[in-house]
């Protein structure tokens, strides 16, 4: 999550914040699906890391829009 926070801070997201939120939702949805079906722990950890990176990319623009 710290890596995701650093990425969103330096990048700032798309100009339209809804696009940033939609992209992160798609990534989190794919990660959730893969986390449910994978039997290999290392693959699980990779997708959990990807989910953690995508989460701040959703939370930051959503808080700004609120």
């Amino acid at each position: 999550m710290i890596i995701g926070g650093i990425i969103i801070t330096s990048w700032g997201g798309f100009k339209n914040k809804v696009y940033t939120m939609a992209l992160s939702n798609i990534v989190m949805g794919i990660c959730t699906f893969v986390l449910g079906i994978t039997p290999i722990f290392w693959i699980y950890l990779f997708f959990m890391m990807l989910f953690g990176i995508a989460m701040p990319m959703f939370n930051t623009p959503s808080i700004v829009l609120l």
Side-chain angles (χ1 to χ4, degrees):
M1 290 179 138
I2 292 172
I3 294 169
I6 291 170
I7 291 171
I8 195 68
T9 301
S10 63
W11 172 43
F14 295 114
K15 186 172 181 168
N16 187 347
K17 300 303 180 201
V18 176
Y19 293 153
T20 305
M21 292 170 51
L23 176 65
S24 65
N25 266 338
I26 291 169
V27 170
M28 288 191 295
I30 292 169
C31 287
T32 302
F33 176 75
V34 173
L35 289 173
I37 63 169
T38 186
I40 301 170
F41 185 65
W42 299 111
I43 295 174
Y44 181 88
L45 287 179
F46 172 76
F47 280 98
M48 184 58 87
M49 181 189 71
L50 191 61
F51 190 95
I53 291 172
M55 188 174 289
M57 293 185 185
F58 176 81
N59 288 339
T60 305
S62 67
I63 296 298
V64 169
L65 288 176
L66 285 177

